[in-house]
Structures are given as structure tokens and as C-alpha cells.
């Protein structure tokens, strides 16, 4: 299959899952996670109509974003990797949506660089309480929500999670349900959850953004 065909297949999966959940397919935005894939793959996805891309590593992403900015108008970036505070500036300057906000210190580091319109952020929640994973624990979420809502240079869009990698994708579903409940409690509209293996389950639990890499771009180069 070509990249355009794989992208079509992912769009069809999203549409079917949305319809099965009684939702409009247009309620679910596809974030094409292009980490470790070359510019040529991003160009192919763009040619097939994809506009929203996700990246994990600041250096790699900055190089790609700057290489493509003039060539591919209307590209939008979501940063889905862990962001160190000293890397806040390149992210703000390029207007990316940060999906992995996880500390008040990072809120302040980002806000310092915002000059005009606020930047979009989602808070990453470690719903499965994995010791080595980024994101706030559920009990720390209310405090961070307050901090972000008190900072007008950041627009709090919603929540994001990366559940534990499992052989059986159904194991992720309770974590998706928990993230959806936390978003509901805080009145947050955006829910970023679901990847190549489990996007249907995430959409069934209310995902508004699915982050899909492998199913579009194929296996990541080492
Ligand atoms: C790599 C990555 C994805 C995409 O995962 P696939 O299984 O390749 O679809 C989604 N979200 C995050 C945070 C990632 O790092």
C-alpha cells in the first residue's frame, strides 16, 4: 500500500469508529505522528490532504518545521513528546500545540515567550500511574488546571494520555474512559488519546484527537 492508501485506511477507521459511537467523523482530528520519518513522508501525507502532524523530539521537529514552513502552507504541528523548559521558546515561536504540559514551571517557561495570541496546550495525564512516564498524576491535575487557567497566554484545550503499551489494545480502554471523565469534571473539550493500535477504542470513549504514526507512515526507521 502507498502512504496515501494507508492514510485513507486510517481515515476510514476513524469514520467507522465515530459513526459506531454516534459521533460525526469530523469530530475526531487525525494527528499524523511523523517522528523519525523523513520530510518526503510528510510531503506525501500533505499531498494526500493531511495538515496536522505530531512530533516528539524538539531538534528533529524544528528542523522539519523550518524546512517545510514555506513549501507546505497551512501545516499545523502538535508537539507530543516530553518538552524541557529550556526548549519552550522554539515551540512558542512556531505556534505548535503542546500536548504534554505537565508542570507549573513549564507553564511559566512557555508564557514568557508568547507575544501575541495564546498558544494551545493540553495537559498530559499519567492515568495508569506508570512510575517512569511523563504526565501529572490524576490527583495533581486540579492544581495544574488552575495554574494554566490563570495564565492568559496559554489556552487550555484539554487532556492527553499515553496508556501503557499492551499486547491487547483493549487493556487501554479503562484508561481512555478515565481521561474522558477527568476532562468532563474540568469542563475541557479536547481529548487526545488513541494511536495506531487502539484508535477505535479511544474514539468510543470520546477522543477528539487521535495520534497515529505507524498505521500511516509504516514502521519507524531506527
Ligand atoms: C509515537 C507516538 C504516537 C504514534 O504511535 P503509533 O503507535 O506509531 O501510532 C502517538 N503518540 C505519541 C505520544 C507518540 O510518541
Amino acid at each position: 500500500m502507498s502512504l496515501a492508501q494507508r492514510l485513507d485506511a486510517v481515515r476510514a477507521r476513524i469514520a467507522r469508529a465515530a459513526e459506531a459511537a454516534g459521533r460525526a467523523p469530523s469530530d475526531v482530528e487525525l494527528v499524523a505522528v511523523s517522528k523519525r520519518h523523513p520530510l518526503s513522508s510528510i510531503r506525501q501525507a500533505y499531498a494526500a490532504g493531511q495538515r496536522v502532524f505530531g512530533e516528539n523530539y524538539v531538534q528533529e521537529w524544528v528542523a522539519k518545521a523550518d524546512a517545510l514552513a514555506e513549501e507546505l502552507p497551512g501545516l499545523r504541528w502538535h508537539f507530543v513528546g516530553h518538552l524541557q523548559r529550556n526548549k519552550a521558546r522554539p515551540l512558542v515561536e512556531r505556534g505548535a500545540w503542546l500536548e504534554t504540559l505537565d508542570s507549573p514551571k513549564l507553564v511559566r517557561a512557555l508564557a514568557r515567550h508568547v507575544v501575541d495570541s495564546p498558544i494551545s496546550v493540553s495537559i498530559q495525564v499519567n492515568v495508569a500511574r506508570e512510575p517512569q512516564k511523563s504526565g501529572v498524576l490524576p490527583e495533581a491535575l486540579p492544581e495544574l488546571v488552575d495554574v494554566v487557567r490563570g495564565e492568559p497566554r496559554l489556552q487550555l484545550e484539554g487532556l492527553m494520555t499515553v496508556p501503557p503499551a499492551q499486547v491487547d489494545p483493549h487493556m487501554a480502554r479503562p484508561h481512555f474512559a478515565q481521561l474522558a471523565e477527568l476532562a468532563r469534571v474540568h469542563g475541557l473539550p479536547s481529548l487526545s488519546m488513541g494511536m495506531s493500535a487502539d484508535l477505535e477504542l479511544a474514539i468510543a470513549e470520546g477522543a477528539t484527537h487521535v495520534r497515529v504514526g505507524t498505521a500511516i507512515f509504516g514502521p519507524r526507521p531506527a
Side-chain angles (χ1 to χ4, degrees), residues 33 35 56 80 160 162 195-196 211-214 220:
V33 180
K35 61 169 181 258
N56 287 58
V80 301
M160 176 272 207
V162 184
M195 313 197 294
S196 290
R211 309 178 308 269
V212 180
T214 311
R220 282 180 277 280

Side-chain angles (χ1 to χ4, degrees), residues 56-59 61 79-92 98 100-103 105-110 112-113 124 134:
N56 287 58
Y57 309 104
V58 174
Q59 246 187 317
W61 165 61
F79 193 78
V80 301
H82 182 69
L83 186 72
Q84 288 173 322
R85 268 177 285 150
N86 62 2
K87 299 287 165 55
R89 183 178 186 154
L91 183 126
V92 172
L98 177 65
T100 55
L101 187 67
D102 64 357
S103 75
K105 284 179 173 169
L106 187 52
V107 171
R108 289 189 285 275
L110 291 162
R112 270 201 292 139
H113 298 292
Q124 181 176 4
S134 317

